[in-house]
Amino acid sequence: MRVYDKSYIKLNAVTENDKVQIVPEGTLSPVAKPIINRINKMFLEEKPILVDDDTIIFSSWAPPVPSPAFNRLISAQVAAVLKKRVPDQSSIGITMRCPNKCIHCGAADIIADPELSLDEVNRAVDESIDLGSYLISFDGGEPMLRQDLPDMVSHVDKTKAIAATFTSGYGLTPQKAEELKNAGLYAVRVSIDSPRQDEHDRVRGRAGSYEDAMNGINNAINAGLLTDMFVVVSPNNIDELEDFYTLAESKGMHEISFYEIIAVGRWLDHEDETIGPNDVDRLGTFQKEKNRLRDGPRVTAFPFFMGPDMFGCFAGRRWVHITSAGDVLPCAYTPLSFGNIREEPLQEIWTRMGKTKAFKKGASSCMMRDPSFRAEYIHTIPEDAPMPFSMYARV
């Protein structure tokens, strides 16, 4: 199957025993070989969500193969090899309203008054895609509280990018799930903090949040959406990996994604309550073990995926985040504002970000875990910084 076709490089997908391999040809194939080898290694060791005669869906984080959006993924990977910064994924906060009060919320200090309008969100989407993004994620707060979320999803050019949204499950009714599916939503990421109802509700700060999450999962699956269980891993729940997986499998979910708790927002003063290198290795082992199984949800462990053995930290090089107040950050967990889309084009802000020492070169793992990075950037925020930027160190 031809999955990428340019004059300088062509890629063919070959499937054998349910394993996919990408075979390059063309003048640029030697340059692309390192990244293709890395992708092929993942395809060999890990199961995709779906493989049939016409389509391969490796993950809810990647466009289907073949598709024009997948072509942009390959272009972004080639750009990375050539040391060019392309924001593969752009996440956009569309509201800070939320029924929950999660103890680890990384965006709790954002003041968005007013929050981005539909036109402003749509412009952020267009400018992100112009920069090369092939994954547009709508974030919050609770995105389901934006009644115009289906309009935002519909606006994403599906020939160039896939659209996903995060949710706690609150407000993801059968009707809303159908509206989002009809608008072209690719995936729903439902946040789960514990496989145990009482603990999940405790972390979320609201009784009934677990039931909302379970209902949201059911409604998303019934609407035909890819469903991803998004788990923020901390020292408090890392021993429950198997239970998370069992829950996702029992619900018929397509993927389970593990992210790490970051000392930011409400968790800013808890730097000693995050995961360490041994935990990252443990997540990587869990991902590999589960993805060797024929059945069950795919596992994507981002601390491993964005670690030194894989792709490194995405912040500011392969990820850009726009808050619901319009501030542009290197990622959703790095509270450094480089400008505001209400004041200047995203292209200019992205270029400025790339001139900053911390983001000129790639980092082998999450920079927010690096004490020297935090000492230089995160703990230099002036106490008297004006709102709504009290969360951010202006760079």
Side-chain angles (χ1 to χ4, degrees):
M1 180 192 304
R2 179 63 56 86
V3 297
Y4 188 76
D5 195 340
K6 299 291 184 182
S7 60
Y8 50 85
I9 186 171
K10 303 179 191 302
L11 301 177
N12 300 302
V14 179
T15 305
E16 185 175 348
N17 298 324
D18 290 334
K19 297 294 183 181
V20 178
Q21 290 289 273
I22 303 295
V23 180
E25 59 182 71
T27 56
L28 198 59
S29 57
V31 176
K33 189 175 181 180
I35 192 68
I36 298 300
N37 287 345
R38 192 176 301 167
I39 292 173
N40 280 339
K41 185 174 186 292
M42 292 173 56
F43 281 168
L44 280 175
E45 294 179 349
E46 303 184 6
K47 65 186 173 193
I49 289 175
L50 170 72
V51 176
D52 62 26
D53 293 339
D54 302 315
T55 306
I56 303 164
I57 298 178
F58 185 70
S59 167
S60 63
W61 297 89
V65 185
S67 69
F70 178 77
N71 291 353
R72 289 165 58 85
L73 180 152
I74 294 298
S75 295
Q77 307 311 311
V78 173
V81 173
L82 298 175
K83 310 300 181 185
K84 180 182 178 182
R85 294 170 58 249
V86 174
D88 300 42
Q89 61 172 308
S90 175
S91 51
I92 305 172
I94 59 174
T95 185
M96 281 311 302
R97 290 175 286 150
C98 187
N100 305 310
K101 193 173 182 179
C102 303
I103 63 176
H104 55 59
C105 180
D109 293 336
I110 295 175
I111 306 297
D113 186 20
E115 61 193 17
L116 293 175
S117 67
L118 174 60
D119 286 344
E120 288 172 326
V121 170
N122 287 346
R123 179 164 55 83
V125 167
D126 292 341
E127 293 184 11
S128 296
I129 290 176
D130 287 344
L131 285 173
S133 297
Y134 57 79
L135 169 59
I136 304 294
S137 298
F138 297 104
D139 204 348
E142 174 49 70
M144 298 303 140
L145 292 176
R146 285 289 297 253
Q147 297 305 307
D148 51 2
L149 175 59
D151 297 318
M152 299 174 188
V153 171
S154 180
H155 183 78
V156 176
D157 185 343
K158 308 307 186 305
T159 67
K160 295 180 179 179
I162 54 175
T165 188
F166 291 86
T167 181
S168 66
Y170 182 92
L172 185 53
T173 62
Q175 179 182 1
K176 179 58 69 67
E178 288 289 346
E179 289 177 358
L180 291 171
K181 175 65 175 178
N182 292 337
L185 192 71
Y186 186 69
V188 169
R189 311 197 191 287
V190 183
S191 299
I192 303 292
D193 289 307
S194 173
R196 294 177 287 113
Q197 180 172 350
D198 57 343
E199 177 63 7
H200 176 87
D201 286 355
R202 182 191 73 81
V203 175
R204 293 269 140 178
R206 183 177 65 87
S209 60
Y210 183 87
E211 183 177 0
D212 285 340
M214 296 301 106
N215 289 336
I217 290 169
N218 292 339
N219 295 335
I221 291 175
N222 289 338
L225 291 163
L226 291 180
T227 59
D228 174 37
M229 179 182 287
F230 190 82
V231 179
V232 175
V233 178
S234 73
N236 296 326
N237 63 11
I238 194 168
D239 290 331
E240 298 181 300
L241 298 182
E242 287 286 353
D243 293 332
F244 279 116
Y245 188 87
T246 297
L247 176 60
E249 186 175 30
S250 70
K251 301 294 288 185
M253 302 188 75
H254 301 95
E255 190 162 16
I256 177 168
S257 297
F258 294 106
Y259 209 86
E260 60 185 296
I261 197 166
I262 303 292
V264 69
R266 291 198 184 106
W267 210 251
L268 180 62
D269 297 324
H270 296 262
E271 287 185 60
D272 57 341
E273 297 179 60
T274 54
I275 65 174
N278 290 338
D279 298 318
V280 174
D281 291 342
R282 182 176 175 182
L283 287 168
T285 299
F286 188 80
Q287 173 179 320
K288 293 175 184 177
E289 288 178 351
K290 293 304 181 184
N291 287 343
R292 291 190 190 106
L293 302 176
R294 183 179 181 87
D295 299 319
R298 172 181 163 72
V299 172
T300 299
F302 277 98
F304 167 72
F305 188 78
M306 296 194 293
D309 295 330
M310 295 295 287
F311 294 95
C313 184
F314 278 20
R317 292 191 60 82
R318 306 182 70 164
W319 184 1
V320 65
H321 179 72
I322 302 164
T323 74
S324 52
D327 279 290
V328 180
L329 318 183
C331 81
Y333 304 96
T334 305
L336 297 174
S337 175
F338 286 82
N340 192 291
I341 63 166
R342 285 171 164 157
E343 301 168 1
E344 56 188 325
L346 181 59
Q347 171 71 71
E348 294 181 13
I349 303 172
W350 178 250
T351 300
R352 180 184 307 125
M353 188 184 298
K355 294 179 180 179
T356 304
K357 180 180 67 174
F359 304 104
K360 281 184 178 180
K361 297 181 179 180
S364 61
S365 57
C366 176
M367 287 189 285
M368 288 294 286
R369 269 197 274 124
D370 182 349
S372 62
F373 174 83
R374 295 184 69 94
E376 182 172 357
Y377 290 98
I378 306 306
H379 295 305
T380 59
I381 305 174
E383 292 184 1
D384 59 349
M387 299 297 280
F389 306 124
S390 61
M391 177 184 176
Y392 309 126
R394 280 287 193 170
V395 178

